Structure formats: C-alpha cells, structure tokens
Amino acid sequence: MNFITKALGVGLLVATAVNGQAVKPVVAESGVSAWMFDISQTVLTDGRWKQNEARTLSYLKYVDVDRLLYVFRANHGLSTNGASQNGGWDAPSFPFRSHVQGHFLTAWSQCYAMSGDSTCKSKASSMVSGMLACQKNNGAKGYTTGYLSGFPESDFTALEGGTLTSGNVPWYVIHKTMAGLLDAWRNIGDANAKTVLLSMASWVNTRTGKLSNSQMQNVLNTEFGGMNDVMTQIYLMTGDSTYLTVAKRFDHNAVFAPLSKNQDSLNGLHANTQVPKWIGAAKEYKATSNATYKSIAVNAWTITTNAHSYSIGGNSQAEHFRAPNAISGYLSTDTAEGCNSYNMLKLTRELWAMDPGSTKYFDFYERTLMNHLVGAQNPSDSHGHVTYFSSLNPGATRGLGPAWGGGTYSTDYDSMWCCQGTGLEQNSKLADSIYGYDSSGLYVHMFAPSVLKWTAKGVTVTQSTTFPASDTTTLAISGTSGSWTLKIRIPSWTSGATISVNGVAQNVQVTPGSYASVTRTWASGDTVTIKLPMGFRTIAANDNSNLVTIAYGPVVLCGNYGSSTVSSAPTLDLGSLKRTSSSALTFSATANGAAVSMVPFFEGHGFKYVVYFGKSGSLPTST
Ligand SMILES: *[C@@H]1O[C@H](CO)[C@@H](O)[C@H](O)[C@H]1NC(C)=O
C-alpha cells in the first residue's frame, strides 16, 4: 500500500527522468551501458527476502535516535539529552565509535525510498539534524569547520603523525558517516543531509590537502573504508571536480598497483579494508574514464571470487585473505565475514553495468546473497539480528560474533559491529538488484517475488514464484505496450531451461551462463513463464577436490546434525542424496554410514551443521 502511495503521489511530483530517486546526480557515469533500477522502483512481495526485510524494518523503526546521537553529542560538546549509552562498537570508550550511525542513515533512507515509510524518514531526518547541531558546535570544541564524529579530531593528527595507537580507524568512520548522509540526501531529499555532507567533504579536502603524497599513502595503510568512493559520488552528485581530486588522494598505491597488473597480492591483507576501495576504483573509472581504475576493480573482483571465496560466496578467515585457493585449511568458526560479501555485491553491481551481457556477475550475486547474507539473519528474531561470521567448520553453529559483541547474534544496542551495520543496509535493499535495464530493454537478474515499477517505460512487471523451492517463475507484464527485449539470466547451475510467453514455448537460446533474449511488442496482460530445472551439484574446495559442498540448483545445503558434536568433515555418499518434498527444500542423505537430513544453509539456525563434506560415489542423475 505504501508503495502505491509513493508511486502515485511523490513519484508524480518529481521529474520522470529521475526514475524514483529523490535527488539525482548531475554528472552521468561513463563507461556503462546498462543500469540498475533506483531502489524506489522495486518492492518485494513475499518469501524469505521479504521476511528478512520486515524484521530489519521493524528494528529500524524501533531504534532510538537519541541513543545513536550520544557519542556525536558527547564529542561535539552538546547535551546527550539523558539518552542511554550504547555498548559494543558504539560505546563511548570504543575507539571507532560513531561508525554505525551512517549504516542506519542508509537503511532508513532505503526503507523510505522503497515504501514511503514516514517513520524511517523522520528517524533519518532527526538523526541528520542532530548531526548538524554537532557540526555547528565545532568552534566551541576547537574542531575544524565541517568535522563530525564521535571521537576527537586529534585522532587524525595522531594518524597523520604515525602515533595513533588507540585502535581507531578514523577515515573508516568518516566514510560510513558520509555514505549515510549521501543516501539520506539522494534517497529522501533531506536538505540538511546535503549541508552536513558537503561541509564534511570540504573538511576532508582541508585535512588531506596539506599532506604530501607519501604522508597520504602512509595514512592509507590504516583502514579508510571507501573514501575514494564517497568523494567520487559527491563529485557525480554536484559536478564539482574538487571532490574528484580529493577522491584520488585516497587511491591506495600498495593495493592498486598489483591489481592493475592482475597480480594476486591479497594474502595476509585485512579483507574488508580492501573491498570498499575497489568499489571506489569502479566509481573513479565511471567518473574519469581512466581504464586503470576499471582494471583494478575487475581484477579484484575476479581474483576474489575465483581464488578467495567459499561455496557460500563469502571470503576471508579471521577477517583476512589467505593464499590464493587456500580454502580447505581455513574452514573455521571465523570464516566469511558479512561485510565483505555485502561490499562484494556492491562491487558486482558496479561491474555488471560495464559488461551487462555477462551473467557471471549475477550468478555470483545470487550465490552470495542467497547462501551467505540472507542466511546470516536470524529468522527467529523479530529485529532480524545477524551474525558477524558464517562459520564453515564441521559441526559449526550460526550466531558466532566477536567476543566483544557477546559472541552471538547482534543485539539492539550492545553490539553495533560493522556487520550489524551492513546487515541493516543489505536487508533493507533486498529488492534492489532483481532487475536492470539498458536502451533495448529489461534484465531479469534474479528470481524473487517482487513488483518492478519501470516508470520510465510505464511498465509494471510482477514476478511470482516460490523460487528456489520451485524452479519456475512467472512475470506478468502490464502497462504501456511497446517493443523491447526481455533478457533473462539463465544461471550457470541449470540445464534444460525453458521460456514461454502466454503459454507458447519460445525458440530462444537458453544456454546456462547467458541472458536469454525475448524481443516482442509487449502488451498489458502478457505472461512469461521461466523454468530453470535444478539438480544436485558439488562445489569443491579450490585446493581439495574431495572436499565438497552440496548444492541444489542455486541453494547451498548443509547437514543438520542437531546437537551432536562433529569434529571433522563426514564423508557423504553422493548417490544417496534425495529431495524429500516437492514443495519444500528438504533432502536426505547418508554420511559416514548414517542418515542425515539436509536443508538450505540459509535455514541453518539453531543446530550444528556441516557445509563441506568428504565425498564418495557420484551424484544421482535425477532427483
Ligand atoms: C589513471 O589512474 C591510475 C591509478 O590511479 C594513475 O596511476 C594514472 O596516472 C591515471 N592515468 C591518467 C591518464 O590520468
């Protein structure tokens, strides 16, 4: 209902070229030939993604803005209004307190853009006006104009002088705050957000402009998030090239130089420190047309997805990249940090727009979203709290966080980790990557019940499916008639895909790992039925062909071991695999000679599970 209100009300008031975005960039990106839809154009209608979204929105509408403003107000010399302090990574004593608030701004703004929800909008606006008041009090605290954070500006002086020892990562925090303000500006149209953001951006220029190149490169050895990304985006939003100059100061030579030559030098690097700067490289390419940036971003993606990722799409162990293809020796409790996958998916969207005919991007997106990120949220928690890592050791349980977050799922006020923040962002934008478009038509990247309002064309696409429980999805097309091409991702995991229009089978190429194209004059009421047959497959660890994950179509399965201790990978008889229901994703198998039930890994909560098995025999030829 909110969607309709937004589409018919606010939507008509803004220029149609905006396609839903409240404030759009003044500089168009170059080097792209396709686009993702603005978040306001798509809503979920049913299923696990919608349920995840509802849980996260309920937390977003519950959380107390005064508590989130506490560390800002305390640092900028304002009253904390009697609010309670947060714990975890937002505690007043935590070195990089105030990093999480930008995630809330992004998530609230996404909630508003999708649904027109007034609570999300007003929470974002009061957060921003609280931040504006903090920034305005800088004179009284001796801070430079534009500075805004929950810790003293002297941390930057210490960082620049090489004497910062508190564990703070100050540019990482500034990036998060600026990214949240940017989203509140462009998704909600919040004028204060623009004011606070541009004032911060000027401060970034002042702070970095006085450093030599080598001083700046030293600064970049401390995690700085996507400062190159957000500064480039501010350039695209405003057209002021000063911001692009500042963005380039955050090009990290030690990481970019090997990637530009397609060298894998990731071993030992803190993983989530790298991915946001690769997203920045992609944006810098789109802002400058400098092909070196494109190589850096594409090579980083290819190296990470091929040589550093687990079957669930996640990467890293103990937050770090290991040697290329080293997977089997690192299946531990602290694998697959959530943020890394969230950021890899952002990078994936950026790269697809440069190379839209390639399905590798949304094959990876589907794999990682479904098997890692959606499943990281606790389905039994009404606030949708998430895990930090997704453990892949035999007999693991979900809900493993760092000890300082309580060692389990995130909580309302006492964890506030990075992965809680990216979890809020991800679960408030699950609909945003289902569809894309180019000058010739529409891309269907993913299969999820949803409604796309393609306002630029006057077309609505309603996707109905219980995918992945069912292998069939239906697209109902309504609105303005016209000729365009429907491009449907035929995933690399399927075989024997079929497409029909109004019940008539279409004679089109449906090669796995390609987009199938159906071109016609579409009329309101047309129905497209897509069948993507699923079967069992194995995904081997890169470095051990005998250690495998079982997948059914796109769905990574795990063995449900209840409360039994499992300390090494059981050997699964591949020929024993059977689907036990036609409507639910339930399976049986034999491993180490005993029956084990298999379920989607995204449902693996509340019991000990196994994702990587030893194997014997061969997969059944039919299910
Ligand atoms: C392109 O970007 C790379 C990486 O930052 C830089 O080294 C190079 O000088 C740039 N080239 C041009 C022509 O600006």
Side-chain angles (χ1 to χ4, degrees):
M1 194 175 73
N2 281 330
F3 179 82
I4 305 295
T5 310
K6 165 86 172 146
L8 296 183
V10 182
L12 285 184
L13 298 178
V14 296
T16 52
V18 170
N19 287 344
Q21 194 165 57
V23 182
K24 69 168 183 166
V26 304
V27 180
E29 295 180 348
S30 60
V32 297
S33 53
W35 297 267
M36 301 302 293
F37 284 97
D38 183 64
I39 188 168
S40 61
Q41 304 278 283
T42 316
V43 290
L44 297 170
T45 51
D46 202 1
R48 174 67 195 263
W49 296 7
K50 179 76 181 166
Q51 292 157 13
N52 271 34
E53 181 184 281
R55 288 185 281 263
T56 291
L57 296 192
S58 117
Y59 174 53
L60 287 173
K61 293 180 203 179
Y62 157 88
V63 73
D64 179 22
V65 172
D66 277 317
R67 289 191 69 153
L68 291 172
L69 280 167
Y70 186 100
V71 289
F72 284 99
R73 286 170 168 160
N75 184 47
H76 287 261
L78 297 179
S79 162
T80 53
N81 281 358
S84 302
Q85 302 174 357
N86 293 331
W89 289 23
D90 200 45
S93 58
F94 192 78
F96 47 100
R97 58 194 176 273
S98 77
H99 80 98
V100 83
Q101 288 77 353
H103 293 293
F104 280 96
L105 284 177
T106 293
W108 282 321
S109 81
Q110 293 177 158
C111 160
Y112 173 72
M114 276 189 304
S115 64
D117 184 89
S118 59
T119 306
C120 286
K121 182 185 183 192
S122 73
K123 294 230 179 220
S125 296
S126 30
M127 182 84 211
V128 171
S129 64
M131 292 163 107
L132 177 63
C134 289
Q135 208 180 31
K136 280 187 171 158
N137 205 43
N138 275 351
K141 290 293 288 187
Y143 295 155
T144 313
T145 303
Y147 182 61
L148 179 64
S149 88
F151 47 82
E153 193 179 1
S154 56
D155 277 15
F156 283 89
T157 312
L159 175 68
E160 290 155 7
T163 59
L164 181 65
T165 54
S166 65
N168 194 3
V169 280
W171 282 116
Y172 170 87
V173 177
I174 296 295
H175 166 241
K176 292 295 169 208
T177 305
M178 292 180 75
L181 290 163
L182 175 63
D183 284 333
W185 175 24
R186 64 181 165 194
N187 290 333
I188 301 177
D190 189 291
N192 283 339
K194 177 183 179 182
T195 304
V196 177
L197 176 67
L198 295 187
S199 179
M200 283 185 87
S202 297
W203 170 82
V204 178
N205 184 20
T206 309
R207 191 87 224 175
T208 56
K210 55 184 199 250
L211 303 182
S212 70
N213 282 342
S214 73
Q215 283 173 317
M216 190 69 200
Q217 290 299 319
N218 282 337
V219 163
L220 299 186
N221 289 328
T222 297
E223 183 171 13
F224 60 90
M227 281 304 301
N228 56 341
D229 177 24
V230 73
M231 292 305 303
T232 302
Q233 293 201 57
I234 295 170
Y235 159 68
L236 294 170
M237 289 296 286
T238 61
D240 182 341
S241 61
T242 308
Y243 300 123
L244 187 57
T245 304
V246 178
K248 292 179 190 168
R249 291 184 194 141
F250 289 90
D251 288 348
H252 192 192
N253 294 341
V255 173
F256 280 10
L259 285 171
S260 71
K261 291 176 258 170
N262 203 18
Q263 289 165 0
D264 183 346
S265 303
L266 301 183
N267 187 11
L269 295 184
H270 184 259
N272 192 48
T273 293
Q274 315 313 323
V275 191
K277 55 183 96 151
W278 304 340
I279 300 168
K283 277 287 179 213
E284 287 173 288
Y285 167 66
K286 294 175 182 185
T288 65
S289 301
N290 177 338
T292 305
Y293 288 123
K294 180 178 179 175
S295 302
I296 291 163
V298 171
N299 295 340
W301 187 90
T302 306
I303 287 168
T304 302
T305 57
N306 288 344
H308 295 276
S309 296
Y310 303 102
S311 54
I312 61 168
N315 63 61
S316 77
Q317 185 268 324
E319 303 193 1
H320 285 68
F321 286 122
R322 302 302 170 191
N325 300 310
I327 298 288
S328 60
Y330 292 96
L331 298 175
S332 44
T333 55
D334 52 4
T335 41
E337 181 184 351
C339 291
N340 311 18
S341 284
Y342 172 74
N343 284 315
M344 283 299 292
L345 295 190
K346 277 180 103 168
L347 179 62
T348 300
R349 285 166 52 99
E350 295 293 333
L351 300 186
W352 170 78
M354 304 174 190
D355 183 14
S358 177
T359 54
K360 66 186 175 189
Y361 293 113
F362 280 94
D363 277 357
F364 175 76
Y365 202 106
E366 174 185 69
R367 163 184 162 197
T368 306
L369 183 63
M370 180 181 295
N371 297 305
H372 185 187
L373 294 179
V374 166
Q377 193 201 68
N378 182 359
S380 311
D381 184 303
S382 65
H383 283 175
H385 283 297
V386 298
T387 73
Y388 192 107
F389 299 111
S390 290
S391 313
L392 292 172
N393 54 304
T397 47
R398 265 225 175 71
L400 190 88
W404 55 81
T408 178
Y409 297 101
S410 56
T411 61
D412 286 343
Y413 291 113
D414 290 315
S415 45
M416 298 297 183
W417 332 295
C418 52
C419 296
Q420 181 171 5
T422 51
L424 296 176
E425 294 190 21
Q426 184 60 67
N427 286 298
S428 57
K429 66 173 220 103
L430 288 164
D432 82 331
S433 298
I434 301 171
Y435 308 98
Y437 66 99
D438 66 11
S439 56
S440 69
L442 178 72
Y443 290 82
V444 179
H445 296 310
M446 292 200 289
F447 309 102
S450 54
V451 178
L452 167 70
K453 299 273 180 188
W454 190 8
T455 53
K457 271 244 187 291
V459 167
T460 299
V461 177
T462 304
Q463 183 175 171
S464 309
T465 184
T466 58
F467 185 92
S470 158
D471 63 4
T472 301
T473 192
T474 305
L475 308 174
I477 295 173
S478 64
T480 313
S481 301
S483 175
W484 43 270
T485 302
L486 178 65
K487 300 168 205 196
I488 301 156
R489 184 174 61 90
I490 308 298
S492 53
W493 48 256
T494 193
S495 74
T498 57
I499 297 171
S500 61
V501 178
N502 302 330
V504 179
Q506 301 294 295
N507 185 17
V508 294
Q509 284 270 353
V510 286
T511 313
S514 74
Y515 283 92
S517 294
V518 180
T519 305
R520 58 186 269 127
T521 301
W522 298 95
S524 203
D526 281 347
T527 302
V528 182
T529 306
I530 303 152
K531 188 172 162 66
L532 304 167
M534 298 179 190
F536 291 110
R537 62 199 175 97
T538 55
I539 307 167
N542 293 18
D543 55 352
N544 183 349
S545 59
N546 288 316
L547 192 64
V548 298
T549 286
I550 310 296
Y552 183 75
V555 185
V556 163
L557 304 182
C558 64
N560 178 347
Y561 282 84
S563 54
S564 310
T565 300
V566 185
S567 46
S568 63
T571 297
L572 190 137
D573 172 4
L574 297 179
S576 71
L577 281 161
K578 249 195 227 73
R579 186 170 180 182
T580 54
S581 160
S582 58
S583 56
L585 289 168
T586 54
F587 306 84
S588 62
T590 305
N592 282 3
V596 58
S597 68
M598 306 280 291
V599 295
F601 180 57
F602 63 72
E603 290 177 358
H605 291 260
F607 53 81
K608 293 184 195 289
Y609 60 74
V610 172
V611 174
Y612 278 91
F613 289 89
K615 61 163 184 163
S616 65
S618 49
L619 290 171
T621 47
S622 75
T623 58

